[in-house]
Amino acid sequence: ASFHTPPQHHLSLLWSSLLGLARVHSSVEDSAGVLFAYPLLSCFSPGERSESVKMAEMSFGPRMRAARGPAPEKEDQGLMGALGLGQHMAFLQGCVTARPADTAMLVVDFPNRPSKMLGAVIGDYGPASLLQVQLCDLPRLPLGKLKPTEIVVEVHSSSVNPTDWKQRKGTLSQMCPLKLPTILGIDFSGRVARGGEDSPFREGEEVFGRQTLDRMRELNGTYAEYIIVESADVYKKPENISHDEAAAVPHACLAAYSALGRVGKLVDKKKLKDKAVLILGGSGGVGTFAVQLAKQHFDCFVVASCSAANADLVRSLGADKVLDYEDPVFLKGAGMHTFDVILDCVGGDDYWEAFKGSLATDGVYVTLVGNVRYLADDKSIGMTNALHIRADYLFRQISN
């Protein structure tokens, strides 16, 4: 589904998706999220796929850590620190270095700048009906001055991720409270309206990318006509895909890459032969990208599960073998292969119990959802849930 503002405003929201908690991960900065998007790697030429992977290589962790700087020393980290959740909570809350609060905040000037912009604003946590498309102030910066690496983007398309609707519903309000009213949105595709002096992009260039969580809260998200983003989170849009298609790529593709390459350690095994990957939920958002990345970039034998209706799609994306999860013998077929990575985009302990024996000696089981299928669809994630997930993670690390 999508909705469109009047033609004179370049704002269309394609329903795509995001979020999850990776059970097996080296750090939250490198963990993946769950998304639904479109199988768009097939739209890229081999060279463009390579460039897309370069964008993934720029991923979350290093820049977020650099932005935060060294963690302040604390005498007592308390229970959260003892369980290793301190930095995780800081990341999820978008705790990065803030801009000075004592400087006049002014609108950044750029060619043909309007006095107002349209945005999809939420004034309180609740259902999607609370989203109101209305005139809003343009994003403001200290003295209206861009940082050298920042750019102003005129948004043509954005996508809706699970992170967005979970924030909108209040599911994440305990871990990542919003300053309401606010404009949500992470993914975007559009045109550069102005670039900082060190930005690699020129005015008028078509780009796509992601707005980080902390910047969304500090300035505004991508459900608006204009955003200010770091150029490191932006890439040139391929000419052979539309803005709608490009806006569905960033988080979904980055999540799949992070899950397989970083958390699943396929980056370290890239030159090895005879690698195999099992993707549970191969026709979903992360799944469609994961199938393509596992086959085309990491050169793996790919087994993926999906419904019979989506089997041809998953095969066309590169899966060597497709399993019908509705088949009564699906879970009994575990153990036929040994996998370097099992990527679970569905969740649930039945999958873990059925397939954990199929892991190679140094294999990694990555779940983007958790031990409860479709985790947090209808309940809030608070500290109790986070502690349970952390304990479950530690237990499975030991048992794996």
Side-chain angles (χ1 to χ4, degrees), residues 3 15 80 169 187 221 292 294 355 362 364:
F3 75 85
W15 297 97
M80 301 303 288
K169 286 180 65 177
D187 290 337
Q292 296 173 80
F355 292 103
D362 59 346
V364 182

Side-chain angles (χ1 to χ4, degrees), residues 246-269:
V249 172
H251 260 318
C253 192
L254 286 171
Y257 181 88
S258 181
L260 293 173
R262 300 301 182 187
V263 184
K265 304 187 185 306
L266 287 182
V267 167
D268 300 329
K269 299 180 178 181

Side-chain angles (χ1 to χ4, degrees), residues 6-7 10 26 53 101 114 117 127 144 156-157 180 209 234 264 330 349 376:
H10 305 289
S26 56
V53 169
M117 67 176 181
H156 288 218
S157 297
L180 300 171
V234 181
F330 167 59
D349 275 336

